[in-house]
Amino acid sequence: RKISYIGNLGYNRHLQLVSIGRALKKSGEEIEHIDVYSSEKRDEILKFMTPENGNIFHGSISADEVKHVMAESLAVIHTESFDEDIKNTVRYSVSTKIADFLMSGTCILAYGPADVSSIKYLSGNNAAYCITSKEKLSSGLSELLTNEDIRNTIVKNALELARSNHFPGIAGKLI
């Protein structure tokens, strides 16, 4: 049982992971940190990836290892910053990792502003557990970790979304 983040730590995503990691540590739940996988090298970002902040940084991994990490995770994280300047930069973009996450068979935790395209896409299709305000982070994490029915529903919706929008030629062959 673990929660994983796989991808770019730019655009203040590292600060979002600190918020999630700290909330996990305070939650008293079984999972107390995020396993972070990234090719990030900048010290000004990596200095935040600490156990005290609820993050364990593992560095970069291969595509095959990404699949393995997703498969062994309770949830994978997609996050975007609440910072207005960054929101305006990423507002209309959708991470390429989202398609991989959707077809992984693992629940997606999406944390970020509701008006950013990637969060809006996942939320609108009920394909991720979406937390769209800082105030709801702790209660949302608790529900995600304790409610298997919600996670199963999200995974089912995510797989269907992957089949229909991302991999229509292989419908039925996904996990």
PDB file of all heavy atoms in Angstrom, residues 13 78-81 86-96 98-99 102 108 110-128 130 132 161 165-166:
ATOM      1  N   ARG A  13       4.680  21.766  -8.592  1.00  0.00           N
ATOM      2  CA  ARG A  13       4.087  20.475  -8.215  1.00  0.00           C
ATOM      3  C   ARG A  13       4.745  19.936  -6.950  1.00  0.00           C
ATOM      4  O   ARG A  13       4.102  19.264  -6.149  1.00  0.00           O
ATOM      5  CB  ARG A  13       4.187  19.484  -9.366  1.00  0.00           C
ATOM      6  CG  ARG A  13       3.291  19.859 -10.533  1.00  0.00           C
ATOM      7  CD  ARG A  13       3.328  18.805 -11.643  1.00  0.00           C
ATOM      8  NE  ARG A  13       2.550  19.263 -12.778  1.00  0.00           N
ATOM      9  CZ  ARG A  13       3.078  19.729 -13.908  1.00  0.00           C
ATOM     10  NH1 ARG A  13       4.394  19.777 -14.060  1.00  0.00           N
ATOM     11  NH2 ARG A  13       2.310  20.130 -14.891  1.00  0.00           N
ATOM     12  N   HIS A  78      -1.881  13.030  -9.600  1.00  0.00           N
ATOM     13  CA  HIS A  78      -1.720  14.086 -10.599  1.00  0.00           C
ATOM     14  C   HIS A  78      -2.014  15.384  -9.858  1.00  0.00           C
ATOM     15  O   HIS A  78      -3.028  15.487  -9.162  1.00  0.00           O
ATOM     16  CB  HIS A  78      -2.692  13.925 -11.777  1.00  0.00           C
ATOM     17  CG  HIS A  78      -2.682  15.144 -12.644  1.00  0.00           C
ATOM     18  ND1 HIS A  78      -1.616  15.436 -13.473  1.00  0.00           N
ATOM     19  CD2 HIS A  78      -3.556  16.165 -12.774  1.00  0.00           C
ATOM     20  CE1 HIS A  78      -1.860  16.587 -14.091  1.00  0.00           C
ATOM     21  NE2 HIS A  78      -3.025  17.046 -13.677  1.00  0.00           N
ATOM     22  N   THR A  79      -1.141  16.356  -9.966  1.00  0.00           N
ATOM     23  CA  THR A  79      -1.371  17.604  -9.247  1.00  0.00           C
ATOM     24  C   THR A  79      -0.980  18.808 -10.085  1.00  0.00           C
ATOM     25  O   THR A  79      -0.109  18.730 -10.951  1.00  0.00           O
ATOM     26  CB  THR A  79      -0.609  17.609  -7.896  1.00  0.00           C
ATOM     27  OG1 THR A  79      -1.031  18.721  -7.129  1.00  0.00           O
ATOM     28  CG2 THR A  79       0.887  17.618  -8.088  1.00  0.00           C
ATOM     29  N   GLU A  80      -1.683  19.900  -9.820  1.00  0.00           N
ATOM     30  CA  GLU A  80      -1.370  21.202 -10.413  1.00  0.00           C
ATOM     31  C   GLU A  80      -1.438  22.242  -9.303  1.00  0.00           C
ATOM     32  O   GLU A  80      -2.189  22.081  -8.335  1.00  0.00           O
ATOM     33  CB  GLU A  80      -2.360  21.558 -11.534  1.00  0.00           C
ATOM     34  CG  GLU A  80      -2.331  20.630 -12.735  1.00  0.00           C
ATOM     35  CD  GLU A  80      -1.037  20.633 -13.548  1.00  0.00           C
ATOM     36  OE1 GLU A  80      -0.132  21.440 -13.265  1.00  0.00           O
ATOM     37  OE2 GLU A  80      -0.933  19.807 -14.458  1.00  0.00           O
ATOM     38  N   SER A  81      -0.699  23.314  -9.456  1.00  0.00           N
ATOM     39  CA  SER A  81      -0.580  24.334  -8.428  1.00  0.00           C
ATOM     40  C   SER A  81      -1.814  25.229  -8.350  1.00  0.00           C
ATOM     41  O   SER A  81      -2.476  25.497  -9.354  1.00  0.00           O
ATOM     42  CB  SER A  81       0.651  25.203  -8.720  1.00  0.00           C
ATOM     43  OG  SER A  81       0.756  26.240  -7.771  1.00  0.00           O
ATOM     44  N   ILE A  86       0.923  30.264 -12.134  1.00  0.00           N
ATOM     45  CA  ILE A  86       1.149  28.921 -12.677  1.00  0.00           C
ATOM     46  C   ILE A  86      -0.138  28.366 -13.262  1.00  0.00           C
ATOM     47  O   ILE A  86      -0.127  27.738 -14.326  1.00  0.00           O
ATOM     48  CB  ILE A  86       1.755  27.998 -11.607  1.00  0.00           C
ATOM     49  CG1 ILE A  86       3.178  28.485 -11.313  1.00  0.00           C
ATOM     50  CG2 ILE A  86       1.749  26.544 -12.059  1.00  0.00           C
ATOM     51  CD1 ILE A  86       3.879  27.783 -10.203  1.00  0.00           C
ATOM     52  N   LYS A  87      -1.264  28.592 -12.592  1.00  0.00           N
ATOM     53  CA  LYS A  87      -2.557  28.160 -13.143  1.00  0.00           C
ATOM     54  C   LYS A  87      -2.745  28.712 -14.550  1.00  0.00           C
ATOM     55  O   LYS A  87      -3.194  27.991 -15.444  1.00  0.00           O
ATOM     56  CB  LYS A  87      -3.715  28.662 -12.261  1.00  0.00           C
ATOM     57  CG  LYS A  87      -4.130  27.707 -11.206  1.00  0.00           C
ATOM     58  CD  LYS A  87      -5.249  28.193 -10.327  1.00  0.00           C
ATOM     59  CE  LYS A  87      -6.301  29.040 -10.970  1.00  0.00           C
ATOM     60  NZ  LYS A  87      -7.394  29.392 -10.065  1.00  0.00           N
ATOM     61  N   ASN A  88      -2.404  29.971 -14.750  1.00  0.00           N
ATOM     62  CA  ASN A  88      -2.565  30.573 -16.073  1.00  0.00           C
ATOM     63  C   ASN A  88      -1.642  29.943 -17.104  1.00  0.00           C
ATOM     64  O   ASN A  88      -1.972  29.900 -18.288  1.00  0.00           O
ATOM     65  CB  ASN A  88      -2.345  32.087 -15.994  1.00  0.00           C
ATOM     66  CG  ASN A  88      -3.475  32.778 -15.274  1.00  0.00           C
ATOM     67  OD1 ASN A  88      -4.623  32.324 -15.302  1.00  0.00           O
ATOM     68  ND2 ASN A  88      -3.169  33.866 -14.595  1.00  0.00           N
ATOM     69  N   THR A  89      -0.514  29.419 -16.674  1.00  0.00           N
ATOM     70  CA  THR A  89       0.423  28.763 -17.587  1.00  0.00           C
ATOM     71  C   THR A  89      -0.076  27.373 -17.988  1.00  0.00           C
ATOM     72  O   THR A  89       0.045  26.970 -19.140  1.00  0.00           O
ATOM     73  CB  THR A  89       1.818  28.650 -16.934  1.00  0.00           C
ATOM     74  OG1 THR A  89       2.273  29.954 -16.612  1.00  0.00           O
ATOM     75  CG2 THR A  89       2.798  27.963 -17.856  1.00  0.00           C
ATOM     76  N   VAL A  90      -0.634  26.636 -17.046  1.00  0.00           N
ATOM     77  CA  VAL A  90      -1.014  25.235 -17.298  1.00  0.00           C
ATOM     78  C   VAL A  90      -2.521  25.042 -17.512  1.00  0.00           C
ATOM     79  O   VAL A  90      -2.971  23.912 -17.713  1.00  0.00           O
ATOM     80  CB  VAL A  90      -0.543  24.299 -16.159  1.00  0.00           C
ATOM     81  CG1 VAL A  90       0.959  24.365 -15.985  1.00  0.00           C
ATOM     82  CG2 VAL A  90      -1.265  24.595 -14.861  1.00  0.00           C
ATOM     83  N   ARG A  91      -3.272  26.121 -17.459  1.00  0.00           N
ATOM     84  CA  ARG A  91      -4.740  26.053 -17.484  1.00  0.00           C
ATOM     85  C   ARG A  91      -5.302  25.156 -18.593  1.00  0.00           C
ATOM     86  O   ARG A  91      -6.267  24.433 -18.391  1.00  0.00           O
ATOM     87  CB  ARG A  91      -5.334  27.460 -17.628  1.00  0.00           C
ATOM     88  CG  ARG A  91      -6.856  27.486 -17.599  1.00  0.00           C
ATOM     89  CD  ARG A  91      -7.433  28.876 -17.640  1.00  0.00           C
ATOM     90  NE  ARG A  91      -6.878  29.774 -16.664  1.00  0.00           N
ATOM     91  CZ  ARG A  91      -7.297  29.887 -15.409  1.00  0.00           C
ATOM     92  NH1 ARG A  91      -8.261  29.112 -14.992  1.00  0.00           N
ATOM     93  NH2 ARG A  91      -6.755  30.750 -14.606  1.00  0.00           N
ATOM     94  N   TYR A  92      -4.713  25.177 -19.782  1.00  0.00           N
ATOM     95  CA  TYR A  92      -5.281  24.436 -20.920  1.00  0.00           C
ATOM     96  C   TYR A  92      -4.476  23.193 -21.299  1.00  0.00           C
ATOM     97  O   TYR A  92      -4.750  22.573 -22.321  1.00  0.00           O
ATOM     98  CB  TYR A  92      -5.407  25.367 -22.133  1.00  0.00           C
ATOM     99  CG  TYR A  92      -6.281  26.556 -21.833  1.00  0.00           C
ATOM    100  CD1 TYR A  92      -5.744  27.833 -21.732  1.00  0.00           C
ATOM    101  CD2 TYR A  92      -7.642  26.398 -21.605  1.00  0.00           C
ATOM    102  CE1 TYR A  92      -6.541  28.926 -21.435  1.00  0.00           C
ATOM    103  CE2 TYR A  92      -8.453  27.479 -21.300  1.00  0.00           C
ATOM    104  CZ  TYR A  92      -7.882  28.741 -21.214  1.00  0.00           C
ATOM    105  OH  TYR A  92      -8.681  29.815 -20.903  1.00  0.00           O
ATOM    106  N   SER A  93      -3.511  22.823 -20.487  1.00  0.00           N
ATOM    107  CA  SER A  93      -2.702  21.651 -20.821  1.00  0.00           C
ATOM    108  C   SER A  93      -3.185  20.427 -20.058  1.00  0.00           C
ATOM    109  O   SER A  93      -3.773  20.534 -18.990  1.00  0.00           O
ATOM    110  CB  SER A  93      -1.226  21.915 -20.523  1.00  0.00           C
ATOM    111  OG  SER A  93      -1.040  22.112 -19.141  1.00  0.00           O
ATOM    112  N   VAL A  94      -2.937  19.269 -20.648  1.00  0.00           N
ATOM    113  CA  VAL A  94      -3.258  17.995 -19.997  1.00  0.00           C
ATOM    114  C   VAL A  94      -2.006  17.127 -20.088  1.00  0.00           C
ATOM    115  O   VAL A  94      -1.500  16.869 -21.169  1.00  0.00           O
ATOM    116  CB  VAL A  94      -4.467  17.299 -20.675  1.00  0.00           C
ATOM    117  CG1 VAL A  94      -4.741  15.956 -20.043  1.00  0.00           C
ATOM    118  CG2 VAL A  94      -5.714  18.186 -20.592  1.00  0.00           C
ATOM    119  N   SER A  95      -1.534  16.702 -18.952  1.00  0.00           N
ATOM    120  CA  SER A  95      -0.303  15.917 -18.879  1.00  0.00           C
ATOM    121  C   SER A  95      -0.410  14.636 -19.700  1.00  0.00           C
ATOM    122  O   SER A  95      -1.443  13.963 -19.688  1.00  0.00           O
ATOM    123  CB  SER A  95      -0.021  15.561 -17.413  1.00  0.00           C
ATOM    124  OG  SER A  95       1.009  14.616 -17.321  1.00  0.00           O
ATOM    125  N   THR A  96       0.659  14.276 -20.364  1.00  0.00           N
ATOM    126  CA  THR A  96       0.687  13.019 -21.119  1.00  0.00           C
ATOM    127  C   THR A  96       0.620  11.815 -20.187  1.00  0.00           C
ATOM    128  O   THR A  96       0.210  10.729 -20.603  1.00  0.00           O
ATOM    129  CB  THR A  96       1.971  12.926 -21.973  1.00  0.00           C
ATOM    130  OG1 THR A  96       3.107  13.090 -21.108  1.00  0.00           O
ATOM    131  CG2 THR A  96       1.985  13.998 -23.041  1.00  0.00           C
ATOM    132  N   ILE A  98      -1.469  11.381 -17.879  1.00  0.00           N
ATOM    133  CA  ILE A  98      -2.863  11.076 -17.527  1.00  0.00           C
ATOM    134  C   ILE A  98      -3.367   9.846 -18.265  1.00  0.00           C
ATOM    135  O   ILE A  98      -4.027   8.990 -17.673  1.00  0.00           O
ATOM    136  CB  ILE A  98      -3.771  12.301 -17.731  1.00  0.00           C
ATOM    137  CG1 ILE A  98      -3.482  13.307 -16.610  1.00  0.00           C
ATOM    138  CG2 ILE A  98      -5.240  11.912 -17.734  1.00  0.00           C
ATOM    139  CD1 ILE A  98      -4.266  14.571 -16.652  1.00  0.00           C
ATOM    140  N   ALA A  99      -3.053   9.717 -19.540  1.00  0.00           N
ATOM    141  CA  ALA A  99      -3.495   8.527 -20.289  1.00  0.00           C
ATOM    142  C   ALA A  99      -2.912   7.257 -19.666  1.00  0.00           C
ATOM    143  O   ALA A  99      -3.614   6.258 -19.512  1.00  0.00           O
ATOM    144  CB  ALA A  99      -3.093   8.637 -21.757  1.00  0.00           C
ATOM    145  N   LEU A 102      -4.769   6.589 -16.418  1.00  0.00           N
ATOM    146  CA  LEU A 102      -6.135   6.103 -16.649  1.00  0.00           C
ATOM    147  C   LEU A 102      -6.165   4.615 -16.946  1.00  0.00           C
ATOM    148  O   LEU A 102      -7.067   3.902 -16.502  1.00  0.00           O
ATOM    149  CB  LEU A 102      -6.788   6.876 -17.799  1.00  0.00           C
ATOM    150  CG  LEU A 102      -7.149   8.327 -17.523  1.00  0.00           C
ATOM    151  CD1 LEU A 102      -7.553   9.025 -18.826  1.00  0.00           C
ATOM    152  CD2 LEU A 102      -8.263   8.438 -16.487  1.00  0.00           C
ATOM    153  N   ILE A 108      -6.574   7.257  -9.338  1.00  0.00           N
ATOM    154  CA  ILE A 108      -5.855   8.516  -9.502  1.00  0.00           C
ATOM    155  C   ILE A 108      -6.343   9.493  -8.431  1.00  0.00           C
ATOM    156  O   ILE A 108      -7.548   9.672  -8.246  1.00  0.00           O
ATOM    157  CB  ILE A 108      -6.097   9.135 -10.891  1.00  0.00           C
ATOM    158  CG1 ILE A 108      -5.665   8.178 -11.991  1.00  0.00           C
ATOM    159  CG2 ILE A 108      -5.386  10.486 -11.016  1.00  0.00           C
ATOM    160  CD1 ILE A 108      -6.139   8.595 -13.387  1.00  0.00           C
ATOM    161  N   ALA A 110      -6.279  13.342  -7.887  1.00  0.00           N
ATOM    162  CA  ALA A 110      -6.011  14.606  -8.563  1.00  0.00           C
ATOM    163  C   ALA A 110      -6.186  15.733  -7.549  1.00  0.00           C
ATOM    164  O   ALA A 110      -7.250  15.865  -6.944  1.00  0.00           O
ATOM    165  CB  ALA A 110      -6.951  14.795  -9.743  1.00  0.00           C
ATOM    166  N   TYR A 111      -5.137  16.520  -7.345  1.00  0.00           N
ATOM    167  CA  TYR A 111      -5.178  17.618  -6.387  1.00  0.00           C
ATOM    168  C   TYR A 111      -4.770  18.888  -7.101  1.00  0.00           C
ATOM    169  O   TYR A 111      -3.657  19.014  -7.600  1.00  0.00           O
ATOM    170  CB  TYR A 111      -4.239  17.323  -5.218  1.00  0.00           C
ATOM    171  CG  TYR A 111      -4.175  18.423  -4.183  1.00  0.00           C
ATOM    172  CD1 TYR A 111      -5.328  18.899  -3.563  1.00  0.00           C
ATOM    173  CD2 TYR A 111      -2.959  18.979  -3.808  1.00  0.00           C
ATOM    174  CE1 TYR A 111      -5.264  19.894  -2.601  1.00  0.00           C
ATOM    175  CE2 TYR A 111      -2.881  19.971  -2.835  1.00  0.00           C
ATOM    176  CZ  TYR A 111      -4.042  20.426  -2.247  1.00  0.00           C
ATOM    177  OH  TYR A 111      -3.976  21.418  -1.293  1.00  0.00           O
ATOM    178  N   GLY A 112      -5.698  19.830  -7.174  1.00  0.00           N
ATOM    179  CA  GLY A 112      -5.417  21.096  -7.822  1.00  0.00           C
ATOM    180  C   GLY A 112      -6.691  21.852  -8.103  1.00  0.00           C
ATOM    181  O   GLY A 112      -7.793  21.396  -7.777  1.00  0.00           O
ATOM    182  N   PRO A 113      -6.561  23.020  -8.727  1.00  0.00           N
ATOM    183  CA  PRO A 113      -7.716  23.877  -8.974  1.00  0.00           C
ATOM    184  C   PRO A 113      -8.686  23.274  -9.989  1.00  0.00           C
ATOM    185  O   PRO A 113      -8.271  22.688 -10.996  1.00  0.00           O
ATOM    186  CB  PRO A 113      -7.107  25.173  -9.494  1.00  0.00           C
ATOM    187  CG  PRO A 113      -5.699  24.870  -9.838  1.00  0.00           C
ATOM    188  CD  PRO A 113      -5.299  23.610  -9.166  1.00  0.00           C
ATOM    189  N   ALA A 114      -9.962  23.454  -9.725  1.00  0.00           N
ATOM    190  CA  ALA A 114     -11.016  22.871 -10.563  1.00  0.00           C
ATOM    191  C   ALA A 114     -11.046  23.457 -11.968  1.00  0.00           C
ATOM    192  O   ALA A 114     -11.564  22.821 -12.890  1.00  0.00           O
ATOM    193  CB  ALA A 114     -12.379  23.062  -9.893  1.00  0.00           C
ATOM    194  N   ASP A 115     -10.492  24.648 -12.168  1.00  0.00           N
ATOM    195  CA  ASP A 115     -10.573  25.295 -13.478  1.00  0.00           C
ATOM    196  C   ASP A 115      -9.356  25.025 -14.368  1.00  0.00           C
ATOM    197  O   ASP A 115      -9.214  25.627 -15.435  1.00  0.00           O
ATOM    198  CB  ASP A 115     -10.816  26.796 -13.325  1.00  0.00           C
ATOM    199  CG  ASP A 115      -9.747  27.499 -12.498  1.00  0.00           C
ATOM    200  OD1 ASP A 115      -8.970  26.826 -11.789  1.00  0.00           O
ATOM    201  OD2 ASP A 115      -9.697  28.743 -12.550  1.00  0.00           O
ATOM    202  N   VAL A 116      -8.488  24.106 -13.973  1.00  0.00           N
ATOM    203  CA  VAL A 116      -7.368  23.681 -14.821  1.00  0.00           C
ATOM    204  C   VAL A 116      -7.844  22.475 -15.639  1.00  0.00           C
ATOM    205  O   VAL A 116      -8.481  21.569 -15.109  1.00  0.00           O
ATOM    206  CB  VAL A 116      -6.134  23.330 -13.956  1.00  0.00           C
ATOM    207  CG1 VAL A 116      -5.057  22.675 -14.781  1.00  0.00           C
ATOM    208  CG2 VAL A 116      -5.604  24.586 -13.271  1.00  0.00           C
ATOM    209  N   SER A 117      -7.555  22.469 -16.919  1.00  0.00           N
ATOM    210  CA  SER A 117      -8.098  21.457 -17.835  1.00  0.00           C
ATOM    211  C   SER A 117      -7.903  20.023 -17.379  1.00  0.00           C
ATOM    212  O   SER A 117      -8.816  19.208 -17.469  1.00  0.00           O
ATOM    213  CB  SER A 117      -7.496  21.621 -19.236  1.00  0.00           C
ATOM    214  OG  SER A 117      -7.944  22.804 -19.822  1.00  0.00           O
ATOM    215  N   SER A 118      -6.726  19.682 -16.898  1.00  0.00           N
ATOM    216  CA  SER A 118      -6.476  18.291 -16.514  1.00  0.00           C
ATOM    217  C   SER A 118      -7.366  17.866 -15.346  1.00  0.00           C
ATOM    218  O   SER A 118      -7.943  16.777 -15.364  1.00  0.00           O
ATOM    219  CB  SER A 118      -5.004  18.074 -16.168  1.00  0.00           C
ATOM    220  OG  SER A 118      -4.607  18.928 -15.115  1.00  0.00           O
ATOM    221  N   ILE A 119      -7.511  18.730 -14.356  1.00  0.00           N
ATOM    222  CA  ILE A 119      -8.361  18.423 -13.201  1.00  0.00           C
ATOM    223  C   ILE A 119      -9.820  18.393 -13.643  1.00  0.00           C
ATOM    224  O   ILE A 119     -10.583  17.490 -13.256  1.00  0.00           O
ATOM    225  CB  ILE A 119      -8.154  19.452 -12.068  1.00  0.00           C
ATOM    226  CG1 ILE A 119      -6.686  19.547 -11.654  1.00  0.00           C
ATOM    227  CG2 ILE A 119      -9.082  19.148 -10.889  1.00  0.00           C
ATOM    228  CD1 ILE A 119      -6.118  18.349 -10.946  1.00  0.00           C
ATOM    229  N   LYS A 120     -10.190  19.330 -14.473  1.00  0.00           N
ATOM    230  CA  LYS A 120     -11.574  19.398 -14.978  1.00  0.00           C
ATOM    231  C   LYS A 120     -11.919  18.134 -15.777  1.00  0.00           C
ATOM    232  O   LYS A 120     -13.006  17.579 -15.647  1.00  0.00           O
ATOM    233  CB  LYS A 120     -11.737  20.639 -15.871  1.00  0.00           C
ATOM    234  CG  LYS A 120     -13.160  20.979 -16.219  1.00  0.00           C
ATOM    235  CD  LYS A 120     -13.257  22.193 -17.153  1.00  0.00           C
ATOM    236  CE  LYS A 120     -12.614  23.411 -16.559  1.00  0.00           C
ATOM    237  NZ  LYS A 120     -12.786  24.622 -17.376  1.00  0.00           N
ATOM    238  N   TYR A 121     -10.992  17.667 -16.590  1.00  0.00           N
ATOM    239  CA  TYR A 121     -11.194  16.465 -17.399  1.00  0.00           C
ATOM    240  C   TYR A 121     -11.400  15.236 -16.516  1.00  0.00           C
ATOM    241  O   TYR A 121     -12.334  14.461 -16.710  1.00  0.00           O
ATOM    242  CB  TYR A 121      -9.984  16.271 -18.321  1.00  0.00           C
ATOM    243  CG  TYR A 121     -10.027  15.048 -19.190  1.00  0.00           C
ATOM    244  CD1 TYR A 121     -10.964  14.923 -20.215  1.00  0.00           C
ATOM    245  CD2 TYR A 121      -9.112  14.016 -19.016  1.00  0.00           C
ATOM    246  CE1 TYR A 121     -10.990  13.799 -21.033  1.00  0.00           C
ATOM    247  CE2 TYR A 121      -9.124  12.892 -19.823  1.00  0.00           C
ATOM    248  CZ  TYR A 121     -10.065  12.790 -20.831  1.00  0.00           C
ATOM    249  OH  TYR A 121     -10.100  11.672 -21.639  1.00  0.00           O
ATOM    250  N   LEU A 122     -10.533  15.066 -15.537  1.00  0.00           N
ATOM    251  CA  LEU A 122     -10.641  13.911 -14.647  1.00  0.00           C
ATOM    252  C   LEU A 122     -11.905  13.985 -13.795  1.00  0.00           C
ATOM    253  O   LEU A 122     -12.618  12.994 -13.636  1.00  0.00           O
ATOM    254  CB  LEU A 122      -9.396  13.822 -13.757  1.00  0.00           C
ATOM    255  CG  LEU A 122      -8.102  13.479 -14.484  1.00  0.00           C
ATOM    256  CD1 LEU A 122      -6.894  13.731 -13.589  1.00  0.00           C
ATOM    257  CD2 LEU A 122      -8.122  12.045 -14.998  1.00  0.00           C
ATOM    258  N   SER A 123     -12.189  15.146 -13.274  1.00  0.00           N
ATOM    259  CA  SER A 123     -13.370  15.330 -12.435  1.00  0.00           C
ATOM    260  C   SER A 123     -14.660  15.134 -13.232  1.00  0.00           C
ATOM    261  O   SER A 123     -15.580  14.443 -12.779  1.00  0.00           O
ATOM    262  CB  SER A 123     -13.345  16.737 -11.821  1.00  0.00           C
ATOM    263  OG  SER A 123     -14.506  16.970 -11.072  1.00  0.00           O
ATOM    264  N   GLY A 124     -14.722  15.717 -14.411  1.00  0.00           N
ATOM    265  CA  GLY A 124     -15.912  15.640 -15.247  1.00  0.00           C
ATOM    266  C   GLY A 124     -16.244  14.228 -15.689  1.00  0.00           C
ATOM    267  O   GLY A 124     -17.396  13.927 -16.011  1.00  0.00           O
ATOM    268  N   ASN A 125     -15.259  13.361 -15.676  1.00  0.00           N
ATOM    269  CA  ASN A 125     -15.462  11.960 -16.063  1.00  0.00           C
ATOM    270  C   ASN A 125     -15.414  11.016 -14.855  1.00  0.00           C
ATOM    271  O   ASN A 125     -15.412   9.804 -15.039  1.00  0.00           O
ATOM    272  CB  ASN A 125     -14.403  11.553 -17.088  1.00  0.00           C
ATOM    273  CG  ASN A 125     -14.650  12.194 -18.429  1.00  0.00           C
ATOM    274  OD1 ASN A 125     -15.561  11.817 -19.143  1.00  0.00           O
ATOM    275  ND2 ASN A 125     -13.854  13.208 -18.765  1.00  0.00           N
ATOM    276  N   ASN A 126     -15.378  11.573 -13.653  1.00  0.00           N
ATOM    277  CA  ASN A 126     -15.274  10.796 -12.421  1.00  0.00           C
ATOM    278  C   ASN A 126     -14.192   9.717 -12.552  1.00  0.00           C
ATOM    279  O   ASN A 126     -14.374   8.578 -12.164  1.00  0.00           O
ATOM    280  CB  ASN A 126     -16.616  10.181 -12.019  1.00  0.00           C
ATOM    281  CG  ASN A 126     -16.611   9.654 -10.596  1.00  0.00           C
ATOM    282  OD1 ASN A 126     -15.861  10.135  -9.749  1.00  0.00           O
ATOM    283  ND2 ASN A 126     -17.420   8.657 -10.325  1.00  0.00           N
ATOM    284  N   ALA A 127     -13.059  10.137 -13.148  1.00  0.00           N
ATOM    285  CA  ALA A 127     -11.966   9.211 -13.420  1.00  0.00           C
ATOM    286  C   ALA A 127     -10.806   9.391 -12.447  1.00  0.00           C
ATOM    287  O   ALA A 127      -9.741   8.808 -12.634  1.00  0.00           O
ATOM    288  CB  ALA A 127     -11.480   9.399 -14.860  1.00  0.00           C
ATOM    289  N   ALA A 128     -11.001  10.215 -11.429  1.00  0.00           N
ATOM    290  CA  ALA A 128      -9.999  10.431 -10.391  1.00  0.00           C
ATOM    291  C   ALA A 128     -10.722  10.889  -9.134  1.00  0.00           C
ATOM    292  O   ALA A 128     -11.828  11.414  -9.206  1.00  0.00           O
ATOM    293  CB  ALA A 128      -8.990  11.497 -10.815  1.00  0.00           C
ATOM    294  N   CYS A 130     -10.868  13.656  -6.959  1.00  0.00           N
ATOM    295  CA  CYS A 130     -10.426  15.037  -7.132  1.00  0.00           C
ATOM    296  C   CYS A 130     -10.625  15.851  -5.857  1.00  0.00           C
ATOM    297  O   CYS A 130     -11.726  15.887  -5.305  1.00  0.00           O
ATOM    298  CB  CYS A 130     -11.170  15.695  -8.281  1.00  0.00           C
ATOM    299  SG  CYS A 130     -10.841  14.922  -9.874  1.00  0.00           S
ATOM    300  N   THR A 132     -10.138  19.683  -4.901  1.00  0.00           N
ATOM    301  CA  THR A 132      -9.936  20.939  -5.619  1.00  0.00           C
ATOM    302  C   THR A 132      -9.830  22.157  -4.702  1.00  0.00           C
ATOM    303  O   THR A 132      -9.937  23.284  -5.165  1.00  0.00           O
ATOM    304  CB  THR A 132     -11.060  21.153  -6.647  1.00  0.00           C
ATOM    305  OG1 THR A 132     -12.323  21.132  -5.969  1.00  0.00           O
ATOM    306  CG2 THR A 132     -11.022  20.079  -7.729  1.00  0.00           C
ATOM    307  N   LEU A 161     -12.767   5.501 -19.669  1.00  0.00           N
ATOM    308  CA  LEU A 161     -12.323   6.734 -20.320  1.00  0.00           C
ATOM    309  C   LEU A 161     -11.087   6.476 -21.169  1.00  0.00           C
ATOM    310  O   LEU A 161     -10.982   6.976 -22.300  1.00  0.00           O
ATOM    311  CB  LEU A 161     -12.046   7.808 -19.263  1.00  0.00           C
ATOM    312  CG  LEU A 161     -11.701   9.200 -19.768  1.00  0.00           C
ATOM    313  CD1 LEU A 161     -12.853   9.795 -20.579  1.00  0.00           C
ATOM    314  CD2 LEU A 161     -11.360  10.107 -18.589  1.00  0.00           C
ATOM    315  N   ASN A 165     -11.395   7.314 -25.052  1.00  0.00           N
ATOM    316  CA  ASN A 165     -10.778   8.556 -25.519  1.00  0.00           C
ATOM    317  C   ASN A 165      -9.293   8.464 -25.838  1.00  0.00           C
ATOM    318  O   ASN A 165      -8.779   9.289 -26.580  1.00  0.00           O
ATOM    319  CB  ASN A 165     -10.954   9.652 -24.468  1.00  0.00           C
ATOM    320  CG  ASN A 165     -12.371  10.144 -24.378  1.00  0.00           C
ATOM    321  OD1 ASN A 165     -13.262   9.634 -25.040  1.00  0.00           O
ATOM    322  ND2 ASN A 165     -12.577  11.149 -23.547  1.00  0.00           N
ATOM    323  N   HIS A 166      -8.616   7.494 -25.263  1.00  0.00           N
ATOM    324  CA  HIS A 166      -7.159   7.466 -25.418  1.00  0.00           C
ATOM    325  C   HIS A 166      -6.640   6.271 -26.208  1.00  0.00           C
ATOM    326  O   HIS A 166      -5.623   6.354 -26.872  1.00  0.00           O
ATOM    327  CB  HIS A 166      -6.486   7.517 -24.045  1.00  0.00           C
ATOM    328  CG  HIS A 166      -6.815   8.755 -23.287  1.00  0.00           C
ATOM    329  ND1 HIS A 166      -6.161   9.938 -23.486  1.00  0.00           N
ATOM    330  CD2 HIS A 166      -7.786   9.004 -22.367  1.00  0.00           C
ATOM    331  CE1 HIS A 166      -6.693  10.862 -22.702  1.00  0.00           C
ATOM    332  NE2 HIS A 166      -7.676  10.321 -22.014  1.00  0.00           N
TER     333      HIS A 166
END
